[in-house]
Amino acid sequence: MTEMTTTPDGDNEAQVTTRKATRRGGGDPATRGRTTIADGVVEKIAGMAARDVVGVHAMGSGLARTFGAVRDRVPGGAKSVTRGVKAEVGEVQTALDLEIVVDYGVSIGDVARAVRENVIAAVERMTGLEVVEVNIAVSDVKLPDEEEEEPEPPRIQ
C-alpha cells in the first residue's frame, strides 16, 4: 500500500506502508490434517504388483479362486485384484500376507523374492507407508496339462 503525502515546502513524498501477511492455521499446508489409507487400497496395490511378476499364475487358494471365478461371471461383477492378499495397515507401516499359485518349472524362491520386491516398491511408492513384511504362502503349482479353473469366455467369430 502506498500513500502520498505533501511536505510543507510542496514536495511530494511517497511513503510505503506494508501490511504484514498473517498466516492462518500456521505451518505448512501439507501438514494440516491426516491422510488415512484403507486396508483395501493397500491390498489392491499389492495384488496388482504381485500379478505383474513372471511365474505368478494366480492369487489365492483353490477355494478362493473357485468362488472368485463364479463371482467374476456374474454380470457387473469385476475381477477381484485383492484375492489372495491381506493387509494390516497402521498409521505409518503396513504388513502383507499373500497367497500365490506359481507356474510349474519356476524357482519358487526367485518368484517369492521378485514378488516381495515388486510389492514393497509399489506400496511404498504409492502410499508412503513403510512395508515391514511381506509373507508369501505358495498354495499350489500350475502344471502345464492342468485345466484352467477360470476358463476364458468363448470368443465370437
Side-chain angles (χ1 to χ4, degrees), residues 103-136:
D103 291 320
Y104 177 80
V106 299
S107 165
I108 293 174
D110 290 347
V111 170
R113 190 174 7 271
V115 167
R116 275 192 189 89
E117 289 172 359
N118 213 32
V119 167
I120 290 169
V123 170
E124 288 185 346
R125 179 179 49 82
M126 291 183 69
T127 67
L129 295 168
E130 176 191 5
V131 178
V132 293
E133 66 181 4
V134 177
N135 299 311
I136 298 174

Side-chain angles (χ1 to χ4, degrees), residues 26-97:
D28 179 20
T31 62
R32 297 182 204 169
R34 337 179 334 187
T35 302
T36 56
I37 300 171
D39 293 1
V41 171
V42 175
E43 289 169 355
K44 282 184 179 182
I45 295 167
M48 292 296 293
R51 282 174 175 77
D52 284 345
V53 175
V54 174
V56 174
H57 178 75
M59 301 286 296
S61 66
L63 186 60
R65 290 193 323 272
T66 301
F67 283 130
V70 171
R71 195 173 44 245
D72 293 346
R73 287 188 182 89
V74 174
K79 190 169 186 172
S80 176
V81 295
T82 61
R83 185 181 312 143
V85 183
K86 178 70 179 122
E88 292 180 24
V89 180
E91 289 194 24
V92 295
Q93 295 179 325
T94 186
L96 294 150
D97 293 320

